[in-house]
Amino acid sequence: MAQYDVSEIERLIDGQLSWTRVQEIMKDAKDADRFEKWVAILQKRVPWKEKILLPLTTALFIVRKGEKRIVKCRCGHEFGDYRVNWKLEALIHVRETEEQLREVYRGSEQPDPSWIQIREYICPGCGTQLEVEAVPRGCPPDFEFLPDLDTFYREWLGRPLPDEVEFADKTLDTIRTWRTDRR
Amino acid sequence: MQRKAITKSGARSGLKRARAGHPAAGGTLRQKLETNERLLRETGHLFGLEKLRRKETDPGTYEAVWQILLNICNTAHVVGCRVSSSPIAAEGGDALWSLHLPTGEAVCTSRGIVSHPGLLSLLLRSYIESGYEDNPGIRPGDIFENNDPHFGGIHSADFQTTVPIFAGGKLIAWAASVTHVMDAGFVLPGSIGFMNPDCFSDGVPVVAERVGENDRFYPWYEKRMRSRTRVPDWTMGDARGRLAGCLTIRERVLALVEKYGLDFFEDVSREYIEDSRRYAVSRVRTQATPGRIRKSNFKDLAMAGKRVLLPQQNVDCLFNLPLELTIDRSAKVAISLRGASGWVPFGENITPNALVSGMLNAYSHMVGFDMFNWGAVAAWRLEDPPLGSWANPYSANYFAASGVAWAPAVVWMSSLYEAFGRLYWSRGFVEEVAAGGATTMTAEFSGVNQYGLYTAGLTLEQACNGGPARAIADGETSAWCIYTPNADFGNAEVSELYYPVVYLGRNLEPDSGGYGKFRGGLGHTAVWLVKNTSGIEYQCGCAGIRSKVCGNHGMFGAYPTWPDRAAYASGTNLKELAEAHRPLLHERGDPERPTIGKDIKAEVIEPNCIAPFVTPGQLHEWDVIVHPVSGSQALGDPLERDLELIRKDLDDGLERERIASEVHGVVAHFDEKTKHWSLDAAATQKKREAMRAQRKARGVPFREWWQREREKILVKENMAEAVLAMWRSSMQLSPAYADELRAFWKLPDNFGF
């Protein structure tokens, strides 16, 4: 089983290893303690203290905050319960006209806005573009990743989290509380 | 272990040896199949192999024999492609050879198109389930073949040849092969039959039948190929190539059995498959995270107003290609296409069996790199796609066409890349992360070639895309293809020998890998001059493209790659330009002012064609085609792209100034003297901060947008008919999906599009 120094994994994450070395790492058996080292490295890099439970994207993490498990941006902005699609708490900018699409796609590179809209999900805290969707009108936003955190920690890592919660998508529970009128 | 030395007799014909012999071992193949399934159910292990006895007692020989089998299959690939001599096999390597258990499960495969071993496994299984043991019987020297999706094929251009391997009168294995032929006898020339309206136009059928015995094709098989395919020498070349590769496997496996003993061969061939299943489970358990991944994706097929074959094809279609992937506590992977839209009146429907094989293709690219065979299927389950959908059409239309069934499947498979990329990211295996894949816009020519002969067939231009962005680096350029790990677009000079065209360009296409912190590998654009022909048609085909929409691959904040568009011109002034030694047409150019529209004159110029299409008429001498092949998807916020990467791309001509400035937010200067770019880091930082502030200023809280968007949905504002039709069929075929969609937007219970 391969073992790597934390410093080498940091250089791997930061794209500082040679391609030859990256290929060696890719071809070798995977290191069993990667997750622990990965989380430790990321924890050092964020400006807040909440414990990272699982990295979701380059900017978003599931963290423990008090009794709750929430999605948090590296900048510190919080999106709420990890079982609710975090996009519901993001800013969104949608390109749905030719003029709006032109800022990114022009001429023969432009998709048809009556077929597709480009949705940009922005962190209200730092302005990072967190995800982009290219979907037709009517498509609910993708809830890309809903991890089964308790199974992961209890059965795969062998160190259960102290407070088990139901593994369920709670997005529609939130939607049910929303008003459809714009008052 | 008992081993036998290789003797001269080991090189005798396997056919002769097979007949020399022993009675068949007890139990029918059907009984063995049932036993295998019961053992898997009861023990959780394939063939009930709770212990890998041969591996444990002699791991060295176990590994050595695996390498020998790999070598045998890869030798078959070389032999088969050389014998074939058709452009697709010989130049592009679009083929595969594999070794299977008597009950069908793939043991080992060659290089090549790794989407096929699953289908070949299921085809062999179908022989058993259909009672072929009794009628027509399975004998040494038999050749069975299929290309019919109804009975195990993917599309009829992929011919599947299977040859039983007997030792001492006992069936001990199968050798199998697939090659993609140049012309399958579709209603239109070629092998990318997107235009086929129904299965009756899907080409010459070979329906899971015996097509030869005593290692020779029946004469009537060759007659059928000669009268029902357009380039029969290539079609028969492929048939002989498949057979030659299969016989190579048979001879060498029999030599291996002679050396290591039949018991050992039979033991290890099962152990390799169970070993592979364990490997599939452990890769997921050690590198992914249990839970649920969801990824929408969409693919258009806009045919309204174009040259089509039947009136019902004068329609625009949009495919819904949803992916839901769940990983349970035991690391089993379940995949669902709930919400998939309905079948289409084109050759772009696929069977669930073929999708299982496609799933194995994605598995082999993203998860299981070693000991690739049938084993992963026991750890990965594909839920039956919605009945009547593009992914399971026969319940609604048994005559649905599958001329290029891969088309929606490869675009769907691209989501599996991103899904696993997200899982690997969560565990920290950043070196394995990949964004979504590229598309496959094909080019086929049919007509009279430079030798005065009729020709029809596929270039391999689409088989060499940019690779997906990684989490730590850009994707590799022109070195990747979603359906094969052996990306290869063949040599331009060799393609010029096959077709009456001259390459005026084969250029990397700037900015074709999406816009992100890391970009996808770039695609390229082929520019062909039509030459030395009395006329050819250009079929800009869809083997998995998008032309009206972008892929839903904005992973971690990147912008997806642009849609696939092609261009052509006829009646050009290129002859005059050539004679005046002036530049011709060598690249696509600016998307708003394409080179084809400004650098040449022509009677007809189509600078921005929505693909796929067939030219309305033939192209002639000095006509020209611009055929871009896509790059792969990007990853991460484009404002986080490293300045040095941008500077290098600018210097190399791989990024345009507008994209660097407006999408990546850099302040760049071009030095006319040195002809190099420099970036102003401080000014860039300031500019990027301003762009982030602008994002926050113009972004609206999701909930506000949701309210406005809901109202637009209710009145179907600016929704093309193809979008509405897609939603209607998705919601009809998957009621639970419809319920969730209505619940998300708080639409009335009876709401429909």
Side-chain angles (χ1 to χ4, degrees):
Chain A
M1 189 68 72
Q3 278 270 324
Y4 305 107
D5 290 342
V6 170
S7 61
E8 183 159 38
I9 293 176
E10 285 211 76
R11 280 184 286 139
L12 172 69
I13 294 167
D14 294 335
Q16 292 171 356
L17 290 184
S18 69
W19 181 231
T20 307
R21 181 60 182 147
V22 172
Q23 285 188 309
E24 285 171 1
I25 293 172
M26 291 170 82
K27 289 171 186 169
D28 210 339
K30 292 301 181 194
D31 36 326
D33 60 354
R34 175 74 67 92
F35 181 69
E36 286 71 20
K37 288 175 176 166
W38 166 240
V39 170
I41 290 166
L42 295 174
Q43 192 81 59
K44 261 194 330 189
R45 295 182 175 192
V46 292
W48 30 262
K49 297 293 178 201
E50 287 86 357
K51 183 175 164 48
I52 295 172
L53 297 177
L54 196 77
L56 280 181
T57 75
T58 39
L60 300 179
F61 306 84
I62 299 174
V63 303
R64 172 183 300 289
K65 185 178 176 71
E67 299 297 307
K68 294 180 177 169
R69 301 170 186 178
I70 63 167
V71 174
K72 189 168 179 122
C73 182
R74 60 190 170 190
C75 73
H77 184 85
E78 295 176 354
F79 291 80
D81 188 341
Y82 79 104
R83 295 169 301 171
V84 177
N85 192 345
W86 59 264
K87 291 174 181 171
L88 271 57
E89 295 297 323
L91 297 175
I92 182 168
H93 177 246
V94 179
R95 299 179 191 275
E96 56 186 12
T97 66
E98 287 183 13
E99 199 51 40
Q100 289 168 331
L101 285 166
R102 252 186 74 77
E103 291 176 9
V104 184
Y105 303 104
R106 291 185 183 175
S108 61
E109 296 173 2
Q110 187 173 94
D112 185 331
S114 69
W115 288 58
I116 205 93
Q117 52 185 208
I118 301 288
R119 302 175 183 165
E120 298 160 4
Y121 293 93
I122 307 298
C123 174
C126 59
T128 296
Q129 188 158 286
L130 300 168
E131 294 281 352
V132 173
E133 290 178 341
V135 295
R137 170 157 287 147
C139 187
D142 283 334
F143 190 177
E144 281 99 354
F145 186 22
L146 174 62
D148 183 352
L149 277 184
D150 287 301
T151 296
F152 177 54
Y153 272 88
R154 185 182 60 242
E155 299 192 25
W156 290 24
L157 297 181
R159 44 187 176 93
L161 296 170
D163 52 337
E164 296 219 353
V165 301
E166 182 191 11
F167 170 58
D169 183 345
K170 300 284 188 184
T171 304
L172 292 180
D173 294 348
T174 299
I175 295 285
R176 278 187 208 99
T177 67
W178 285 6
R179 297 170 63 98
T180 53
D181 57 66
R182 287 200 244 164
R183 278 177 296 160
Chain B
M1 179 177 27
Q2 192 179 18
R3 294 187 188 177
K4 295 178 183 172
I6 297 179
T7 63
K8 277 189 180 177
S9 67
R12 284 182 306 167
S13 151
L15 180 56
K16 222 183 242 177
R17 271 178 290 160
R19 286 180 171 153
H22 306 286
T28 64
L29 291 174
R30 191 194 286 264
Q31 286 167 336
K32 286 178 184 168
L33 208 53
E34 288 165 1
T35 303
N36 290 347
E37 291 192 348
R38 179 177 56 75
L39 289 170
L40 176 62
R41 233 178 10 254
E42 290 174 358
T43 67
H45 298 276
L46 284 160
F47 319 109
L49 289 173
E50 294 180 40
K51 294 190 92 176
L52 301 179
R53 190 171 56 88
R54 296 289 189 178
K55 181 179 183 181
E56 287 167 13
T57 54
D58 189 354
T61 306
Y62 180 86
E63 181 63 24
V65 170
W66 170 256
Q67 297 298 332
I68 292 169
L69 291 179
L70 268 181
N71 214 325
I72 288 172
C73 290
N74 284 326
T75 302
H77 189 280
V78 173
V79 169
C81 288
R82 294 276 166 83
V83 169
S84 159
S85 80
S86 86
I88 295 179
E91 189 62 14
D94 188 337
L96 176 128
W97 279 261
S98 51
L99 175 71
H100 299 253
L101 293 185
T103 41
E105 300 88 342
V107 177
C108 188
T109 77
S110 72
R111 69 198 289 269
I113 312 296
V114 288
S115 47
H116 291 308
L119 268 167
L120 289 165
S121 302
L122 291 167
L123 173 66
L124 291 166
R125 182 191 176 101
S126 80
Y127 297 166
I128 300 165
E129 290 172 338
S130 302
Y132 279 22
E133 272 180 284
D134 294 327
N135 180 20
I138 300 168
R139 307 166 312 192
D142 280 352
I143 308 164
F144 289 91
E145 196 166 273
N146 180 66
N147 72 347
D148 188 335
H150 292 88
F151 303 103
I154 161 76
H155 69 148
S156 57
D158 283 338
F159 280 64
Q160 307 166 298
T161 301
T162 54
V163 168
I165 302 176
F166 283 81
K170 178 185 178 186
L171 179 67
I172 63 163
W174 291 86
S177 169
V178 176
T179 64
H180 180 129
V181 301
M182 293 292 280
D183 180 87
F186 295 154
V187 63
L188 293 180
S191 60
I192 304 295
F194 69 90
M195 195 78 94
N196 300 352
D198 52 38
C199 69
F200 307 109
S201 50
D202 266 349
V204 57
V206 181
V207 188
E209 61 194 272
R210 186 157 62 209
V211 296
E213 56 186 272
N214 297 319
D215 293 346
R216 298 177 69 189
F217 287 108
Y218 294 133
W220 48 88
Y221 172 80
E222 180 159 352
K223 286 177 178 173
R224 194 185 338 167
M225 294 304 138
R226 292 217 166 269
S227 68
R228 287 293 179 268
T229 65
R230 295 175 180 83
V231 282
D233 287 340
W234 276 337
T235 310
M236 280 310 299
D238 273 350
R240 294 191 177 97
R242 289 191 301 277
L243 179 59
C246 285
L247 298 185
T248 301
I249 290 176
R250 188 184 70 190
E251 298 302 308
R252 294 188 180 211
V253 162
L254 288 173
L256 183 140
V257 167
E258 196 155 315
K259 179 174 179 182
Y260 291 94
L262 182 57
D263 286 348
F264 179 82
F265 172 75
E266 291 188 323
D267 286 350
V268 292
S269 56
R270 283 160 181 75
E271 287 191 18
Y272 292 139
I273 301 174
E274 164 61 10
D275 208 356
S276 171
R277 185 200 65 79
R278 296 180 186 194
Y279 172 72
V281 171
S282 70
R283 288 284 283 191
V284 169
R285 184 164 175 129
T286 56
Q287 291 170 57
T289 307
R292 187 193 74 186
I293 293 268
R294 277 184 168 180
K295 193 74 207 160
S296 303
N297 242 314
F298 303 89
K299 173 201 142 33
D300 54 87
L301 180 61
M303 297 302 293
K306 295 181 185 172
R307 173 184 166 185
V308 291
L309 296 170
L310 295 178
Q312 63 265 35
Q313 293 185 302
N314 184 22
V315 65
D316 287 338
C317 303
L318 185 63
F319 291 73
N320 190 354
L321 316 162
L323 170 72
E324 180 174 297
L325 183 149
T326 52
I327 300 175
D328 72 8
R329 63 201 303 177
S330 57
K332 281 195 175 167
V333 176
I335 292 176
S336 165
L337 285 92
R338 191 165 55 99
S341 52
W343 66 273
V344 295
F346 295 95
E348 299 206 349
N349 305 286
I350 190 168
T351 64
N353 273 3
L355 264 184
V356 167
S357 215
M359 185 178 79
L360 268 185
N361 180 120
Y363 166 84
S364 74
H365 278 208
M366 279 300 292
V367 184
F369 309 121
D370 290 335
M371 209 164 269
F372 176 54
N373 57 37
W374 180 253
V377 174
W380 284 38
R381 187 174 63 81
L382 180 74
E383 178 186 295
D384 271 348
L387 291 173
S389 67
W390 59 268
N392 198 357
Y394 291 151
S395 65
N397 178 9
Y398 193 64
F399 307 136
S402 304
V404 59
W406 281 126
V410 295
V411 182
W412 174 78
M413 272 159 51
S414 176
S415 293
L416 279 166
Y417 281 73
E418 189 182 320
F420 271 92
R422 289 174 184 275
L423 292 163
Y424 294 149
W425 176 268
S426 71
R427 292 288 295 264
F429 293 104
V430 293
E431 71 276 21
E432 303 291 348
V433 174
T439 56
T440 44
M441 186 165 81
T442 54
E444 290 190 289
F445 300 117
S446 58
V448 177
N449 67 13
Q450 59 271 49
Y451 314 111
L453 302 170
Y454 181 84
T455 191
L458 178 70
T459 74
L460 268 296
E461 219 58 39
Q462 85 290 344
C464 208
N465 307 105
R470 302 170 184 277
I472 52 174
D474 290 346
E476 290 172 276
T477 287
S478 291
W480 185 89
C481 181
I482 194 161
Y483 59 75
T484 173
N486 305 116
D488 190 347
F489 53 19
N491 293 295
E493 293 79 4
V494 175
S495 294
E496 289 172 343
L497 295 175
Y498 286 123
Y499 304 109
V501 297
V502 175
Y503 279 80
L504 296 185
R506 206 181 213 186
N507 312 294
L508 295 183
E509 193 59 58
D511 293 314
S512 56
Y515 311 131
K517 179 177 180 181
F518 297 109
R519 61 162 170 75
L522 302 178
H524 73 280
T525 295
V527 182
W528 291 302
L529 175 72
V530 178
K531 200 76 187 70
N532 297 325
T533 175
S534 56
I536 56 167
E537 282 188 349
Y538 160 58
Q539 194 177 111
C540 177
C542 169
I545 64 164
R546 307 178 187 89
S547 200
K548 299 282 269 186
V549 308
C550 300
N552 185 28
H553 280 303
M555 188 173 180
F556 298 173
Y559 288 110
T561 56
W562 62 62
D564 298 297
R565 305 274 171 89
Y568 69 91
S570 60
T572 73
N573 65 337
L574 285 170
K575 184 169 187 289
E576 292 78 38
L577 291 174
E579 286 170 353
H581 301 283
R582 303 266 312 274
L584 306 177
L585 178 68
H586 301 287
E587 59 187 16
R588 187 194 67 144
D590 187 290
E592 291 189 288
R593 293 187 67 239
T595 314
I596 198 170
K598 67 183 178 67
D599 286 4
I600 66 167
K601 292 176 183 162
E603 291 164 16
V604 175
I605 297 183
E606 295 288 351
N608 183 20
C609 298
I610 303 291
F613 64 93
V614 184
T615 46
Q618 286 191 322
L619 299 179
H620 299 94
E621 295 273 295
W622 301 99
D623 290 351
V624 70
I625 297 161
V626 180
H627 188 92
V629 171
S630 93
S632 271
Q633 306 289 347
L635 179 148
D637 185 341
L639 291 187
E640 294 177 17
R641 184 160 175 77
D642 180 77
L643 268 55
E644 179 54 23
L645 292 176
I646 296 173
R647 189 202 58 74
K648 186 168 185 320
D649 274 355
L650 285 168
D651 264 358
D652 292 344
L654 303 180
E655 176 156 358
R656 295 163 295 183
E657 183 183 8
R658 182 186 83 78
I659 298 298
S661 170
E662 296 177 24
V663 179
H664 291 300
V666 300
V667 177
H669 305 285
F670 184 68
D671 187 327
E672 287 291 348
K673 283 186 191 161
T674 64
K675 303 294 181 195
H676 285 292
W677 289 87
S678 62
L679 302 188
D680 184 331
T684 295
Q685 189 181 353
K686 207 170 163 188
K687 182 173 178 179
R688 287 179 164 180
E689 281 168 9
M691 289 174 76
R692 288 192 186 93
Q694 186 198 24
R695 286 172 173 174
K696 286 164 66 176
R698 73 182 174 193
V700 297
F702 182 89
R703 189 167 167 177
E704 278 179 31
W705 173 78
W706 175 87
Q707 288 172 327
R708 289 206 300 267
E709 186 69 6
R710 179 180 173 280
E711 290 167 9
K712 292 178 182 176
I713 291 169
L714 282 168
V715 298
K716 306 173 184 65
E717 182 178 312
N718 195 27
M719 296 177 77
E721 175 52 35
V723 175
L724 297 171
M726 177 204 72
W727 285 130
R728 281 195 289 270
S729 68
S730 286
M731 293 172 76
Q732 182 194 344
L733 299 177
S734 301
Y737 181 87
D739 290 344
E740 192 170 338
L741 188 149
R742 289 191 195 96
F744 183 84
W745 297 109
K746 278 200 162 178
L747 301 171
D749 289 347
N750 62 352
F751 177 84
F753 287 97

